[in-house]
């Protein structure tokens, strides 16, 4: 268990996360802010943003940098961790980033929307051969055969670790310029169609074939909200919230694209503000 | 009746109104945008704004000017009218600004919050001796005795007109440096406590006295939402909206402070965006 209990944990580095972090800081709350990217990648990719009021014709990169500078100017730091689970426990939350854990009284989810849908079978077999966390579950597969599905180069350290533990690894890197040196790694450059298995994962299926393994690791930055937080209510794939950005779990709030359309930077920033205010009101009451 | 039927009428010149107008313009809709002030007065009065993401430490005046320039850079014009009523009629809306009228398929209310509460009796006696519109109702009081309650110097033209029609006018200017030249005007520099009368307005009561009149004109920039739109559902003085910024009236949306706390510029800007998107979706469906 971590020693420090934060007032707020904010998960996500986009406009909603920045907005929530700024407000929590102004209102003197202790915050841990998890952002997988130093600058929101999705914002930075936008060519020209015409509807962020007061900043006409700003580039995506310009807005991403301005958001970053705003947070930095207030002394707000990001923690570069990928969150793998959020667990409500006795009036507080346990936030897991691989094998690390953090505790907070409230959590604001600013997860964005997954560009990619979960793989068929991924959610069904999670915890039964499908794992998001190399450091948590890697040793379960010592001397065994695993598959690794990976969407981001930053996880190559985890891939090397998993290969060092397993007897054999089928590695599916879904990004360019991969560098995987482990000798027992077999690279597969196909998009998996499904994770198969009845009670437990048994194989990855591709168009025209499959590989059998004892477990599969899914290493990606964006985990679907319902997978991240067990019991979280969603609607059409978005986190269900009310006007105060409250989810169905007390003390848990959400803001930005993950709460639904329109997917707009200014909508996300506005919701981040509301979520922070609601979280702080919740802290004051409890 | 006006000749032109607009896709959207946006009422209010603050961050919510600017945001809604920008998005309507980008999405090629015809818009009429009513803003009593060229730059939102309330924004401009803020000393330092620390939580408008991407614009750290901007002054209120700086933000107000940036919002104005954004709208101007897109060729969006404001119409400097004070709206006195919004009436849903057969799938469209009639928007009244004194004696002028406008028609729109959808309306977005970005009214802010009234700094001032309505005067006791004002809403109860509206249309029964209490009027918001000099040009609409002035002639009803030809040769009679009226009272005029006025919160803004810009209405002095209306005051002169009313004095020219009535036999006698008790004028209560609630602002500094008033210039009222009509000889039949008697200036009263007290805050009215109530408008009195059982079925109809009969008198204005002050601390320690009252004046009798046949009617009273209330000339102010901010009219409460429920008074502006008959049948509009409110909760605790705010317009009731869902997550799509829909009110209880089809085609009528609201955004910004008028929909409730927190009263925050970025929340207002975000809601203006959502309201515009919902209004445009409504237009596409109908």
């Amino acid at each position: 268990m971590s020693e420090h209990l934060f007032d707020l944990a904010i998960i996500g580095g986009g406009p909603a996360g920045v907005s929530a972090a700024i407000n929590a800081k102004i209102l003197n709350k202790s915050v841990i802010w998890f952002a997988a990217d130093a600058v929101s990648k999705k914002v930075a990719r936008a060519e020209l943003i015409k509807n962020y009021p007061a900043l006409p014709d700003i580039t995506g990169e310009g807005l991403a940098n301005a958001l970053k500078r705003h947070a930095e100017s207030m002394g707000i730091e990001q923690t570069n961790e990928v969150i793998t689970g959020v667990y409500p426990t006795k009036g507080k939350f346990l936030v897991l980033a691989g094998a690390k854990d953090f505790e907070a009284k409230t959590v604001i989810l600013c997860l964005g929307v997954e560009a990619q849908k979960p793989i068929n079978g991924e959610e069904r077999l999670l915890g039964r051969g499908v794992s998001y966390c190399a450091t948590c579950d890697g040793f379960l597969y010592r001397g065994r055969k695993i598959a690794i599905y990976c969407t981001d180069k930053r996880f190559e350290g985890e891939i090397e670790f998993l290969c060092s533990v397993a007897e054999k690894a089928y590695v599916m890197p879904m990004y360019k310029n991969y560098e995987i040196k482990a000798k027992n790694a077999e690279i597969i450059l196909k998009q998996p169609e499904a994770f198969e298995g009845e009670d437990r994962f048994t194989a990855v299926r591709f168009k025209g074939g499959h590989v059998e393994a004892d477990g599969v690791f899914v290493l990606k930055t964006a985990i679907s909200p319902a997978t991240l937080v067990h019991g979280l209510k969603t609607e059409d794939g978005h986190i269900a919230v009310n006007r105060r950005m409250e989810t169905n779990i007390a003390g848990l709030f959400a803001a930005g694209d993950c709460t639904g359309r329109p997917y707009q930077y200014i909508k996300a920033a506005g919701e981040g503000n509301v979520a922070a205010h609601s979280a702080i009101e919740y802290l004051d009451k409890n």
Side-chain angles (χ1 to χ4, degrees), chain A:
Chain A
M1 284 290 156
S2 65
E3 286 168 27
H4 194 80
L5 177 61
F6 292 94
D7 290 325
L8 293 98
I10 298 169
I11 304 174
V18 174
S19 187
I22 289 170
N23 284 281
K25 176 83 180 180
I26 290 172
L27 295 165
N28 278 320
K29 300 296 172 186
S30 67
V31 183
I32 185 155
W33 180 23
F34 300 101
D37 298 300
V39 172
S40 171
K41 269 192 187 171
K42 194 169 153 195
V43 174
R45 272 199 300 265
E47 199 170 347
L48 195 64
I49 298 163
K50 295 184 87 68
N51 65 348
Y52 195 94
L55 289 171
D57 290 334
I58 190 165
T59 61
E61 203 183 342
L63 181 60
N65 285 329
L67 291 169
K68 187 184 170 210
R69 279 197 304 270
H70 193 157
E72 285 174 355
S73 76
M74 298 180 69
I76 306 168
E77 280 173 26
Q78 293 185 334
T79 303
N80 186 3
E81 299 281 359
V82 175
I83 301 304
T84 49
V86 176
Y87 300 89
T89 56
K90 288 185 208 154
K92 62 189 178 187
F93 293 87
L94 186 64
V95 179
L96 297 188
K100 295 185 200 165
D101 62 2
F102 303 88
E103 284 187 325
K105 295 177 191 166
T106 64
V107 174
I108 303 178
L109 303 173
C110 309
L111 306 174
V113 276
E114 270 192 293
Q116 231 170 344
K117 281 192 178 177
I119 290 163
N120 198 345
E122 174 181 329
E123 294 185 336
R124 183 174 59 85
L125 296 169
L126 184 65
R128 293 183 289 159
V130 174
S131 169
Y132 290 141
C133 179
T135 41
C136 319
D137 297 333
F139 285 110
L140 299 174
Y141 296 93
R142 187 186 295 277
R144 302 177 73 187
K145 204 181 286 181
I146 57 170
I148 305 169
Y149 172 81
C150 181
T151 67
D152 197 300
K153 193 172 173 64
R154 90 179 68 181
F155 297 115
E156 286 188 346
E158 267 99 331
I159 294 176
E160 293 296 329
F161 163 73
L162 287 170
C163 290
S164 76
V165 172
E167 188 219 10
K168 162 93 179 173
Y170 299 103
V171 183
M172 301 163 269
M174 297 290 125
Y175 53 91
K176 288 180 184 169
N177 304 322
Y178 59 86
E179 295 169 278
I180 295 155
K181 299 185 192 95
K183 286 181 184 162
N184 60 340
E186 180 178 332
I187 305 294
I188 298 177
L189 294 175
K190 291 177 183 170
Q191 171 69 31
E193 284 190 337
F195 295 155
E196 294 184 328
E198 290 235 339
D199 292 334
R200 234 194 109 73
F201 167 83
T202 55
V204 180
R205 180 161 52 78
F206 308 95
K207 194 159 276 180
H210 74 287
V211 292
E212 288 178 3
D214 298 308
V216 61
F217 287 84
V218 177
L219 306 178
K220 59 182 182 180
T221 51
I223 298 173
S224 80
T227 309
L228 199 67
V229 191
H230 187 73
L232 179 63
K233 193 181 162 198
T234 59
E235 281 167 10
D236 298 329
H238 297 118
I239 301 172
V241 289
N242 62 14
R243 291 261 305 140
R244 295 166 48 79
M245 313 316 294
E246 294 166 330
T247 68
N248 65 313
I249 296 170
L252 185 69
F253 305 84
D257 287 359
C258 63
T259 71
R261 292 179 186 275
Y263 299 150
Q264 299 274 319
Y265 304 117
I266 195 71
K267 177 249 188 198
E271 289 188 356
N273 178 302
V274 175
H277 281 86
S278 295
I280 288 161
E281 207 173 293
Y282 174 90
L283 287 168
D284 292 344
K285 272 188 198 157
N286 287 278

